[in-house]
Amino acid sequence: MATTRLQDAFIPDVYGLYTVNNTPELTDFVQSGVAVTNEAITNMMSAGGATLTLPFWNDLNSESEPNYSNDDPDDFASPDKITSGEQTARVAFLNNGWASADLVAELAGDNPNQRIASRVDAYWSRQFQKRVIAASVGLYNSNVANNDGDMVFDASTGGDTTAQVFSGEAFIDAAYTMGDQVGQLRVLAVHSMVAARMAKNGLIETIRDADGRVLYRAYMDYRVVIDDSMPTFGSGADRTYLSILFGGGQFYYGNGNPLVPEEVERTPRAGHGGGVETLWSRKTWLVHPRGYKFTGAQLTGNGETDDGVPIKNASWADLNAAANWERVFDRKQVAMSFLVTK
């Protein structure tokens, strides 16, 4: 068990100030509209279960010509029909705890438990963003393995090395894998190294409010999300970066109701009687991409009930696995595109 101990804290002079270093991660997939809450899913989660089936209606088929009217009373037209399908999503049952010895607060002049409590929401926000990215990587892997990469433009394999890095041309090629539905895309998520390349080329615009505060960064009217959790492949000169274009609401999520969402555990005998306090926090989430079925074909059990029945929460590695995803929407109905660059 990991516990905040004396060596983890700065012990100041009696009049000194206790300072901490915030984790420099951004959590703006929700702010940009990529992920949106879904009340129907939240309501379904309240009924229990580890998986949810989300039915949907397909669009009306417009590939064939319509009927042409005539004046023959005996010429009866045959109507078309609408078809349906289903998405399957998996609920994640998550928790974490943070422990601190009482003696640390006494000697440090500041209570680490208060700091822990103040950062729990930020911790879960980052965890949410990492789950969105992990699932997105799984969709990329699935698309390459199962759909001939029809959502991917790979610029990294071209003969001209100047064309292998992020460029406007490569970005447009990736966006137009959506065809005439390209207008659905509105958010670009990139690794900071790709963002640096964009900035050097003068491609990123900073959007500010009336008081000069930075609201977000933009490129070609796309909101830019910069996150170093975005995947890289290979190393050195061969390293490539995966950038992802999202449409609004491409991910939806619901919140479950853990029996005890948060609680504090006191262990008076710990610390040789000095006492240790642990804050436990629990989340039940469903984070799912529109247009996909989570098959769970390659899923590892990472928890089990008292009777030995596995509870198969999807880890980040499980979300990455191509075998766990099946696209059930047409390509143009999935508002995502992938760009691979050096």
Side-chain angles (χ1 to χ4, degrees):
M1 179 183 73
T3 303
T4 304
R5 303 183 65 183
L6 292 179
Q7 63 263 32
D8 300 318
F10 170 66
I11 310 300
D13 293 332
V14 65
Y15 296 111
L17 295 177
Y18 193 94
T19 60
V20 293
N21 184 30
N22 288 326
T23 304
E25 293 186 47
L26 303 180
T27 55
D28 53 2
F29 274 134
V30 172
Q31 295 175 21
S32 66
V34 168
V36 297
T37 56
N38 187 298
E39 186 175 353
I41 289 177
T42 298
N43 291 338
M44 292 173 68
M45 291 174 68
S46 65
T51 59
L52 297 181
T53 299
L54 312 173
F56 63 90
W57 292 106
N58 289 311
D59 199 1
L60 300 181
N61 182 13
S62 60
E63 296 301 316
S64 58
E65 289 186 275
N67 300 320
Y68 292 96
S69 303
N70 61 40
D71 63 354
D72 184 350
D74 297 319
D75 185 4
F76 295 98
S78 297
D80 287 335
K81 64 179 180 179
I82 191 169
T83 59
S84 64
E86 63 182 33
Q87 304 169 80
T88 303
R90 183 171 292 273
V91 179
F93 303 92
L94 309 170
N95 75 83
N96 207 344
W98 299 269
S100 176
D102 292 0
L103 187 60
V104 174
E106 194 170 346
L107 293 179
D110 192 72
N111 192 341
N113 293 331
Q114 295 176 353
R115 175 62 181 174
I116 290 169
S118 72
R119 298 302 297 164
V120 168
D121 285 347
Y123 167 84
W124 285 117
S125 293
R126 294 194 296 270
Q127 289 297 322
F128 179 91
Q129 184 144 315
K130 290 178 184 297
R131 289 195 74 81
V132 172
I133 292 174
S136 298
V137 173
L139 303 189
Y140 164 78
N141 291 331
S142 174
N143 188 250
V144 171
N146 303 316
N147 302 110
D148 298 322
D150 61 0
M151 299 167 65
V152 180
F153 180 74
D154 189 345
S156 68
T157 58
D160 183 0
T161 56
T162 60
Q164 294 177 357
V165 298
F166 187 96
S167 66
E169 290 83 357
F171 171 81
I172 291 171
D173 285 333
Y176 272 88
T177 62
M178 284 285 294
D180 59 7
Q181 297 302 305
V182 65
Q184 295 186 44
L185 300 173
R186 69 185 196 191
V187 176
L188 171 64
V190 298
H191 191 280
S192 65
M193 292 299 292
V194 176
R197 168 67 62 176
M198 297 170 69
K200 289 177 182 178
N201 293 339
L203 301 178
I204 295 183
E205 178 185 5
T206 300
I207 308 300
R208 302 177 183 270
D209 63 14
D211 297 320
R213 291 187 294 264
V214 175
L215 297 176
Y216 58 90
R217 294 172 177 84
Y219 171 66
M220 287 194 181
D221 293 330
Y222 282 62
R223 179 166 177 161
V224 177
V225 174
I226 303 172
D227 192 310
D228 281 338
S229 297
M230 294 294 293
T232 65
F233 310 107
S235 60
D238 295 325
R239 173 171 290 179
T240 58
Y241 298 85
L242 181 65
S243 301
I244 306 176
L245 290 69
F246 293 96
Q250 174 54 34
F251 276 79
Y252 39 51
Y253 66 94
N255 294 296
N257 299 293
L259 185 62
V260 184
E262 290 186 351
E263 63 181 317
V264 175
E265 176 187 9
R266 285 285 309 168
T267 311
R269 294 196 302 170
H272 204 64
V276 170
E277 193 168 275
T278 304
L279 172 64
W280 290 100
S281 179
R282 302 178 181 91
K283 298 289 183 183
T284 300
W285 282 345
L286 185 146
V287 182
H288 189 76
R290 292 181 63 252
Y292 278 86
K293 176 185 292 186
F294 187 83
T295 66
Q298 184 178 319
L299 196 64
T300 57
N302 46 35
E304 62 180 33
T305 61
D306 290 339
D307 57 4
V309 177
I311 302 174
K312 294 184 177 180
N313 290 296
S315 66
W316 294 345
D318 294 329
L319 294 174
N320 284 174
N324 285 330
W325 297 103
E326 177 187 344
R327 194 173 74 194
V328 294
F329 280 15
D330 292 336
R331 191 275 170 267
K332 292 183 181 181
Q333 293 177 287
V334 179
M336 290 182 71
S337 294
F338 302 97
L339 173 60
V340 182
T341 60
K342 288 191 174 178

